[in-house]
Structure formats: structure tokens, C-alpha cells
Amino acid sequence: MSTVFLVVVLALVWAAISGSFSGLNLLLGGVVGGVAVLVLREAFSSPSALRRLRRMASLTALFLYELIVSAVRVAIVVVRPDMSSAVRPAIIAVPLTVKSDAEITLLANMITLTPGTLSVDVAADKSVLYVHALDMADKEAMIADIVNGFEKKIREVFE
């Protein structure tokens, strides 16, 4: 019964997103929802899949938090009258514990999408990620933030 309810909800969401609650559009939404439920049923039925979803949600929450905090920090740096003397740009080498291309790419993209930082390069042996920071007060603290934040959460998701 819960599968039928889920298909109905997905059909209603489909209709709401498309902006038309006509019978044909609801039917199309039901078909698309039904196919999605059948395809994804196996993927989300195991306890490990639910654990992975929780870890993905945790990584997303961390990214959104870091996005907001860094946006505020960059805004403060930009609006300061003495901006040129207050900015301390630097490129740092962050040692990597993630090894797969997918993990490194996700980490580099999350760093780049966070205002004030930019992933510059990855060492050929995938042991170091080079990151440019707009304003860096403490190199070790920044490396620790990346390693204990994004990198740790990404490792948890890919376990």
C-alpha cells in the first residue's frame, strides 16, 4: 500500500511542478513515478542505503553551512574600506586521504563552490590538492577545516 501512496504523491508532485493537474498529466506523472519507484526500490530498501542517504544529507548540510559562512566572510572582506591590506591570498597544499577520482572531484568542486576558495590542481599521484584562498589567516587551521569537514564527510559517503 505504501508503494501506491508513493506513486500518487509523485504524480501530484509531477503535476505541481509542471503546473497542470489535468487527468492526462496526472497519469503521466503516475507512470513516471511508478517507473522511478520500480527502478529505485532495490537501491533504497537496504539499511546501508539509508545510512548512505543520511551521510549524503549530512554532507549537504555541511556544504550549505560552509557556503553561507564563507559568503558572509567574503562579503565582509569586500566591503571593508581597507580591503587591499586586509586580504591575505595564498595557495596551500592540502594532503588528501580520499583517493578515487569521484571523491577528489567532489571535494575539489565543493571547495571551488565555496566563496573565497578555489581548487587549483591535484598532484599527479593524487596525494595533494592545491587550493587558493582569498584570505587565509592560519594555514594549518584551513587544512584542518578541509580535512575534518568536507573530506571526512566525503569519505563517509563513499564507504
Side-chain angles (χ1 to χ4, degrees), residues 59 103 106-107 150-158:
L59 176 61
E103 292 171 322
L106 181 59
L107 176 62
F150 287 148
E151 192 174 22
K152 178 182 174 189
K153 296 287 186 182
I154 289 170
R155 275 195 321 265
E156 290 174 0
V157 167
F158 282 89

Side-chain angles (χ1 to χ4, degrees), residues 7-69:
V7 170
V8 169
V9 168
L10 289 173
L12 290 172
V13 168
W14 174 278
I17 290 173
S18 67
S20 171
F21 284 90
S22 68
L24 192 57
N25 197 36
L26 284 170
L27 180 63
L28 179 61
V31 169
V32 170
V35 169
V37 168
L38 289 174
V39 169
L40 298 175
R41 178 180 51 193
E42 297 291 325
F44 293 112
S45 61
S46 69
S48 63
L50 295 176
R51 189 176 323 113
R52 179 176 254 182
L53 280 175
R54 280 193 304 268
R55 291 176 178 173
M56 287 177 171
S58 176
L59 176 61
T60 302
L62 174 66
F63 174 70
L64 292 174
Y65 171 77
E66 290 292 334
L67 182 71
I68 292 167
V69 168

Side-chain angles (χ1 to χ4, degrees), residues 71-129:
V72 169
R73 286 183 188 152
V74 168
I76 290 170
V77 167
V78 170
V79 299
R80 288 170 63 179
D82 61 337
M83 182 179 84
S84 61
S85 64
V87 176
R88 298 164 298 219
I91 294 180
I92 61 169
V94 178
L96 294 175
T97 57
V98 293
K99 295 300 177 198
S100 77
D101 288 342
E103 292 171 322
I104 293 170
T105 301
L106 181 59
L107 176 62
N109 284 330
M110 291 182 116
I111 289 171
T112 297
L113 289 171
T114 305
T117 55
L118 175 70
S119 300
V120 179
D121 197 12
V122 178
D125 63 354
K126 300 178 185 177
S127 64
V128 176
L129 176 67

